[in-house]
Amino acid sequence: MSLGKHIDGLVYYWSWNSSIFGGYLMFVPLVFLQILTPKFHRKAVDLVVNYWQYYVTTLLFRKKCAIRVTGDPIDSNEISLVISNHRTRVDWNFLWPVMYHAVTGENRWWCSTKFVLKNSIRNIPGAGWVMQMAMYIFINRNWDHDKAKLDDYIEYVKDNYYKHILILFPEGTDYCPQTKASSDKFANANGLPKYEHVLHPRSTGFVYLVDQMRENQCLDAVYDITLIYPDECPQNEEELFLQGKFPKEVLAHIVKYPIKTLPVSKDDLKTFLEKRWKEKESTIANFKKTGHFLQGKLLKHDEYLTLPWAYFTHLFWILVTGSLLTLIYLSNVYCYLVIGHIVSLYLMPMITGLNMYKFRKKIFGLLPRVKEGNKCNRD
């Protein structure tokens, strides 16, 4: 590993991680809005998170990492479930710029992207706190626990007619020699073919989400993303942040499946998912042999991907982070507010078993009402 790459990785990590703390500190004063005006609070949080994800996009733009997205655009005026193969532990870092290019419509900057992630991530200082505020879903591979988390999420989306994007990795883990061996074992036990480029998907969460969200009329479409790294592929955070292993290009192809086109039965939904992964295996194998990827409309937003906009965004996050860290030092009130907020993020789920939305419903009874006829599935 060259010294230059090592420095690149460390600078990227510092920029990425310090801005995370800046974003979190912006959220702290908004905590009271979460109780008093939850819709405005959600919009404010989503806007900050989206602008931070754009910041990551500009960081990769400056690293000359080209994000090439083809296929169907994602409508920001819909509630969308996105499924993707999970090539590396840091796929999420590159899916943010994929979403930047793919999402279209008047609601684009307000349409937040969320992930289903392992429960252990939620308590990582800085990043985990922001993910909690951004309403990511954390699971621990215990179905009783995970089902309750998904039910909470579906309840919130239904009650608030909340337009957003939820990204799910049905494989459950990233592709590596150990997980491939586990996938092969699963294939042998279930009479399935062995895959060389993807892992066999686990269908339980996907089927439950589609089935329940459709029943509650709060899902408009499923988008299937096939993700490929043609050259460098950082397998984990160490390779990306410490070794500076940045891909020169990331390819993503998106196919839209409106909710009305999806199978109705749970068994057929499982088959639908398995077919998508069989197609991914074939697509990636063909790319490895020929260098040709799936064709389709190129999805690209270039208007804000210029060096002036990149430098402005970098300066914004440096000033915000520096100013709020200084405020912690100068203001005891703000310092205690930050400490109290961090403690609440750790203790509320442990003590009450509730997220803030359920806490608000239970204690204050201020459930937001969806306007009559305001359905998620539009004819």
Side-chain angles (χ1 to χ4, degrees), residues 317-372:
W317 284 107
I318 290 171
L319 291 176
V320 164
T321 304
S323 299
L324 293 178
L325 287 173
T326 303
L327 186 60
I328 290 177
Y329 177 76
L330 295 177
S331 170
N332 288 335
V333 173
Y334 185 62
C335 180
Y336 293 144
L337 186 61
V338 170
I339 293 172
H341 192 270
I342 292 172
V343 171
S344 72
L345 290 177
Y346 284 100
L347 293 186
M348 180 173 287
M350 295 169 58
I351 295 174
T352 68
L354 301 173
N355 55 35
M356 180 60 78
Y357 177 68
K358 291 188 72 176
F359 177 81
R360 177 181 171 276
K361 282 182 65 175
K362 189 176 183 68
I363 303 301
F364 294 93
L366 299 175
L367 175 64
R369 300 297 180 186
V370 178
K371 293 181 180 179
E372 188 68 26

Side-chain angles (χ1 to χ4, degrees), residues 200-263:
H200 278 281
R202 304 309 199 248
S203 61
T204 303
F206 169 78
V207 170
Y208 187 78
L209 275 171
V210 174
D211 182 63
Q212 292 300 304
M213 293 180 77
R214 173 163 48 195
E215 182 177 321
N216 286 279
Q217 295 186 295
C218 57
L219 179 63
D220 293 301
V222 170
Y223 292 85
D224 177 27
I225 294 182
T226 300
L227 199 60
I228 293 179
Y229 299 83
D231 44 85
E232 293 269 30
C233 180
Q235 189 61 45
N236 50 44
E237 292 83 357
E238 179 182 350
E239 290 188 5
L240 180 65
F241 294 137
L242 299 183
Q243 299 178 22
K245 192 175 181 180
F246 293 95
K248 295 182 178 64
E249 187 177 36
V250 178
L251 305 180
H253 186 79
I254 305 175
V255 179
K256 179 178 181 178
Y257 296 91
I259 189 64
K260 292 181 180 179
T261 68
L262 292 176

Side-chain angles (χ1 to χ4, degrees), residues 68-73 104 252-254 294-300:
R68 187 174 185 274
V69 187
T70 56
D72 298 322
T104 61
H253 186 79
I254 305 175
L294 295 167
Q295 299 298 311
K297 178 184 177 182
L298 182 64
L299 307 177
K300 198 166 183 63

Side-chain angles (χ1 to χ4, degrees), residues 119-136:
N119 195 59
S120 57
I121 296 175
R122 67 175 294 130
N123 291 323
I124 296 175
W129 305 338
V130 169
M131 291 173 185
Q132 288 187 56
M133 297 295 292
M135 216 178 84
Y136 282 34

Side-chain angles (χ1 to χ4, degrees), residues 96-109:
W96 284 323
V98 167
M99 292 298 106
Y100 169 80
H101 290 297
V103 177
T104 61
E106 59 186 17
N107 198 41
R108 180 182 166 208
W109 287 102

Side-chain angles (χ1 to χ4, degrees), residues 1-17 63 89-90 92-94 232-247:
M1 179 186 65
S2 69
L3 179 61
K5 281 195 170 185
H6 179 70
I7 293 174
D8 276 350
L10 290 176
V11 170
Y12 183 79
Y13 174 75
W14 179 87
S15 302
W16 193 99
N17 208 43
K63 297 294 180 186
R89 279 183 46 158
V90 291
W92 39 266
N93 193 75
F94 302 101
E232 293 269 30
C233 180
Q235 189 61 45
N236 50 44
E237 292 83 357
E238 179 182 350
E239 290 188 5
L240 180 65
F241 294 137
L242 299 183
Q243 299 178 22
K245 192 175 181 180
F246 293 95

